[in-house]
Amino acid sequence: MGEAQFSSRLNESDALLWSIESDPCLRSTIVAILLLDRCPDWERLRERLSFACGQVPRLRQKVVVAPLRVGVPSWQFDEHFDLDY
């Protein structure tokens, strides 16, 4: 299976949500709690995350704001991406 293809440019709704993040009143906070019945197999989890990152490049990218905030933010590969971080 090949890598999924995504645009490097944020779409309009993502760009809007990205821009309103700076205002605490407009920010949308999401919390997720995962309750496990046992300690995970960390090596297996890491292998699965590594596989997912290989299949979905977006997981290795970060949002980069255009210089002087002129233009739409874009997704770029994070050269410092470290799955173990």
Side-chain angles (χ1 to χ4, degrees):
M1 177 166 36
E3 289 189 347
Q5 298 298 313
F6 294 99
S7 170
S8 64
R9 192 176 154 187
L10 269 70
N11 64 34
E12 291 79 12
S13 60
D14 288 340
L16 175 65
L17 290 172
W18 179 260
S19 66
I20 64 173
E21 268 297 302
S22 61
D23 185 339
C25 293
L26 299 175
R27 207 177 277 161
S28 60
T29 302
I30 299 171
V31 175
I33 297 175
L34 183 61
L35 184 59
L36 304 173
D37 61 351
R38 63 183 165 272
C39 184
D41 177 345
W42 294 109
E43 186 57 35
R44 183 175 176 213
L45 176 61
R46 191 195 182 291
E47 286 174 11
R48 296 213 177 204
L49 289 172
S50 179
F51 177 78
C53 289
Q55 295 298 305
V56 184
R58 180 62 39 91
L59 297 174
R60 299 184 314 265
Q61 296 177 333
K62 63 181 180 179
V63 175
V64 177
V65 178
L68 302 175
R69 295 196 174 271
V70 178
V72 178
S74 63
W75 290 100
Q76 292 184 5
F77 281 96
D78 183 355
E79 61 275 0
H80 302 292
F81 177 79
D82 180 4
L83 187 58
D84 294 316
Y85 176 67

